[in-house]
Amino acid sequence: MSASVAGVRTLSAAHARRIALAAQGFADPRPTGRVDARHVRRVLDRVALLQIDSVNVFSRSHYLPVFARLGPYPREVLDRMTAYVPRPRHPELFEYWAHAASLVPVRYQPLLRWRMARAHVEPWANIRRIARERPGLLDDVRRLVAEQGPIVAGDTGIPRPAPRPGHMWNWHDGKTALEWLFFAGEITTAKRVNFERWYDLAERVIPADVLAAPTPDPVDAKRELVRISARAHGVATEPDLRDYFRLSHADTKAAVAELVDTGELAAVHVAGWDAPAYLWHEARRPRTVQARALLSPFDSLVWYRERTLRLFDFHYRIEIYTREEERRYGYYVLPFLLGDTLVGRVDLKADRQQGVLRVQSAWVEPGQDPGHVAIELAAELDVTAGWLGLDGVEVMPRGDLSTTLAEAVARTGPTPAAG
């Protein structure tokens, strides 16, 4: 399982994979009874944040990591923990740029203030341009939010420009100003309606005791973020640790060195990994992992594709922004985790009008038993359809697993829809 080379402990690739899965919560059995906020908090204690994405062809991405670890749960539980419902009494999560756009526990807000203070240099160019070229607009929008918040971008009264080829976001300057204020931490998401963000002053959304907490020194804050990342990874390279909260190489390298000095991280060698690795001192080291889960493209287990390849020998790229004729696997493709291995992938669409979970394509990984994978995947798809309130699963004839999966789905009785 492990050895020592030149004084550095060596882990097998399989051992490292199981450590990583345990750190992300996949070594725990799914609850068998009622799932409530306590279970969701336990997931958040493991993963630390949930990435947000607007694509809704299957499900909003932030719901999926919780489902992958807990199985069916009331999505309203997560909604009540966020600002996605009007005025929760005690919101536990807020939106910010942590790992991309993310839902983050409010207790981590002080750890991200150094990034907020760098709003003039950290965001992408168009947001920086607004602060540089139109400071008066920032003042006007800031005043509008203070007087009328929560507001949507359209309330700024600035028309949207004509669509521009090659631009994913067609923001007007009012929206861009709101996003600068959002990055700076002055405003945040008060709620979402049909996923449209409603902005309000941070002081009217984030709990007062959080905002009143002292602002840590940036070095201390970044070290704590690396500590959180290390705990969520179990075992990781420096680039892995850096990517979780999108930190710089220099900051992460310095924090790792300090955590090694304190004994919280131990330098290890993982067989087959080119880069040095670091083991969290409290990482669980299970002998087996018996997981079964469909993973969102934005799940923290797989969002850093280089790590996914290293851990699972699984080459994964999201093809949402690829032209249809150039896609290899499909539009919204989810890896399928079985045991401690990524054994296949499926392109899923929730056809709410027809009431079915449609498998647009299904693929098995080389060396895996298609029959076994199909049986387990059919069972997980059935549970997923029920959680989404759909009546059944339909498999389209695309992909090297599609025929076998369709047969397995036909043998699987439908799970009653949630609600």
Side-chain angles (χ1 to χ4, degrees), residues 65 125 151 156 199 205 212 269 345 379 409:
I151 67 167
T156 63
Y199 301 87
V205 178
H269 172 72
R345 61 189 91 198
V409 165

Side-chain angles (χ1 to χ4, degrees), residues 82-104:
T82 71
Y84 286 5
V85 293
R87 304 297 187 201
R89 289 185 178 181
H90 302 288
E92 299 179 41
L93 301 168
F94 79 108
E95 280 191 28
Y96 192 61
W97 293 99
H99 176 96
S102 307
L103 283 169
V104 188

Side-chain angles (χ1 to χ4, degrees), residues 324-343:
E324 184 174 0
E325 63 273 16
E326 296 177 358
R327 293 176 192 144
R328 180 177 180 184
Y329 295 110
Y331 179 77
Y332 200 82
V333 177
L334 293 84
F336 181 46
L337 173 66
L338 188 61
D340 64 0
T341 306
L342 296 180
V343 297

